[in-house]
């Protein structure tokens, strides 16, 4: 019998074909066909078996190699099985030759997975290949998918010198993140320098009022001192009031002692008449 064929006994007509998944082991005059080992395959009439390529595997007597599914890999030729990716790793495609490690800010706690997961808000994964995320310290937080906890938690704000998260001062609210303390009504902060952000002052007049959206970008750390569009007077003072502690009145306004605020010129006399009349 020629290569790939066999005769279990003397035959008068022709030899038998080795089926796919079997071989004659590089022999002629074979009396039997042998199943391919796991990790190999063969087609019909084969005299030897071929190793499965990387990313594929087979069991004994296979006619084809099978693709490793997502979450698994076969790093060597001739693999009899695929290896599940370890925790902290993933394989997003079929036929993977190796698993990839999860990037910083992501994790994977299970084996045999197709992707990594982003860390939740308030957690971090500073190293590649993380199997879990670490919780931020109580005074800090983070965005989803973060490698570090570099945002202030709600009720805190970041100091200028070293980004230390500090407790929100009295008479102000702190939204956390990169937001600076926002004074309550009746209080004022000097926006000239960021180091003054935590110093909240009580206003002697009824001219200090929180204006606009509390989450306004004007109270973001990058806008606190450098923004040309964020007016300290517009953010902190009532109509007509300007300057430190909103203690002055702009042109066209005059301080009205009775109401302890700035009023449009001409309205002061009217208000006086009303008070006298009452």
């Amino acid at each position: 019998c020629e290569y790939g064929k066999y005769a279990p006994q003397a035959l008068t007509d022709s030899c038998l074909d080795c089926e796919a998944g079997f071989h004659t082991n590089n022999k002629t005059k074979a009396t039997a066909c042998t199943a391919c080992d796991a990790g190999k395959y063969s087609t019909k009439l084969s005299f030897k078996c071929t190793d499965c390529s990387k990313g594929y595997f087979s069991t004994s007597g296979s006619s084809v190699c099978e693709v490793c599914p997502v979450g698994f890999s076969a790093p060597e030729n001739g693999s009899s099985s695929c290896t599940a990716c370890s925790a902290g790793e993933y394989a997003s495609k079929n036929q993977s030759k190796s698993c990839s490690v999860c990037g910083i800010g992501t994790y994977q706690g299970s084996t045999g997975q197709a992707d990594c997961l982003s860390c939740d808000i308030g957690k971090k994964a500073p190293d590649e290949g993380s199997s879990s995320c670490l919780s931020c310290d109580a005074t800090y937080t983070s965005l989803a998918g973060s490698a570090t906890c570099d945002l202030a938690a709600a009720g805190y704000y970041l100091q200028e010198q070293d980004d230390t998260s500090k407790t929100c001062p009295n008479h102000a609210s702190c939204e956390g993140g990169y937001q600076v303390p926002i004074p309550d009504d009746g209080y004022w902060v000097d926006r000239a320098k960021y180091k003054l952000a935590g110093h909240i002052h009580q206003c002697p007049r009824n001219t200090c009022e929180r204006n606009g959206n509390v989450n306004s970008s004007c109270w973001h750390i990058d806008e606190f001192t450098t923004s040309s569009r964020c007016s300290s007077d517009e953010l902190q003072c009532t109509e007509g009031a300007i300057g430190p502690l909103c203690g002055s009145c702009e042109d066209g306004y005059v301080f009205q002692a009775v109401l302890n605020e700035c009023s449009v010129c001409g309205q002061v006399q009217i208000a006086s008449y009303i008070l006298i009349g009452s």
Side-chain angles (χ1 to χ4, degrees):
C1 293
E2 58 191 80
Y3 289 117
K5 294 192 175 192
Y6 74 104
Q9 59 190 17
L11 300 175
T12 59
D13 46 2
S14 63
C15 295
L16 304 176
D17 295 341
C18 277
E19 298 298 330
F22 292 79
H23 67 108
T24 57
N25 198 23
N26 287 318
K27 294 180 179 179
T28 58
K29 301 181 181 180
T31 59
C33 293
T34 305
C36 293
D37 293 335
K40 297 176 181 292
Y41 75 99
S42 71
T43 57
K44 189 174 182 179
L45 297 173
S46 291
F47 62 91
K48 67 176 182 178
C49 299
T50 304
D51 284 342
C52 294
S53 300
K54 296 176 181 179
Y56 292 82
F57 76 102
S58 72
T59 56
S60 176
S62 294
S63 59
V64 293
C65 295
E66 298 183 52
V67 173
C68 289
V70 294
F72 291 76
S73 69
E76 303 293 339
N77 292 324
S79 294
S80 60
S81 62
C82 299
T83 304
C85 296
S86 302
E89 297 181 341
Y90 71 100
S92 60
K93 298 179 179 180
N94 294 327
Q95 194 184 329
S96 290
K97 300 175 184 178
S98 61
C99 298
S100 302
V101 297
C102 296
I104 58 175
T106 66
Y107 76 101
Q108 181 48 259
S110 302
T111 60
Q113 299 302 305
D115 54 21
C116 298
L117 307 173
S118 293
C119 292
D120 292 335
I121 293 173
K123 294 189 175 184
K124 64 178 179 178
D127 300 316
E128 293 183 337
S130 295
S131 59
S132 63
C133 298
L134 305 174
S135 296
C136 297
D137 293 339
T139 60
Y140 289 90
T141 189
S142 66
L143 298 176
S146 292
T148 59
C149 296
D150 54 5
L151 303 177
Y156 296 83
Y157 74 101
L158 298 177
Q159 289 186 291
E160 179 185 34
Q161 305 93 306
D162 53 8
D163 286 339
T164 299
S165 187
K166 189 174 182 180
T167 302
C168 193
N170 293 330
H171 310 297
S173 62
C174 295
E175 301 297 319
Y178 290 118
Q179 297 289 96
V180 299
I182 304 174
D184 296 336
D185 287 348
Y187 292 84
W188 180 89
V189 65
D190 189 347
R191 292 172 61 94
K193 297 180 180 179
Y194 184 72
K195 67 180 182 180
L196 302 175
H199 300 280
I200 307 299
H201 305 278
Q202 186 173 11
C203 298
R205 298 178 173 182
N206 296 333
T207 52
C208 294
E209 179 180 77
R210 180 189 297 191
N211 294 315
N213 190 342
V214 169
N215 294 317
S216 167
S217 60
C218 288
W219 294 100
H220 188 279
I221 187 172
D222 292 335
E223 299 282 358
F224 189 69
T225 60
T226 60
S227 178
S228 60
R229 64 181 182 82
C230 298
S231 166
S232 179
D233 295 337
E234 292 179 1
L235 289 171
Q236 303 188 82
C237 301
T238 57
E239 181 182 353
I242 58 174
L245 298 172
C246 303
S248 301
C249 296
E250 63 179 306
D251 291 346
Y253 289 79
V254 64
F255 180 67
Q256 186 175 168
V258 175
L259 299 177
N260 201 24
E261 63 183 22
C262 296
S263 298
V264 177
C265 292
Q267 292 183 352
V268 177
Q269 186 176 7
I270 295 174
S272 298
Y273 289 154
I274 293 174
L275 288 171
I276 293 172
S278 62

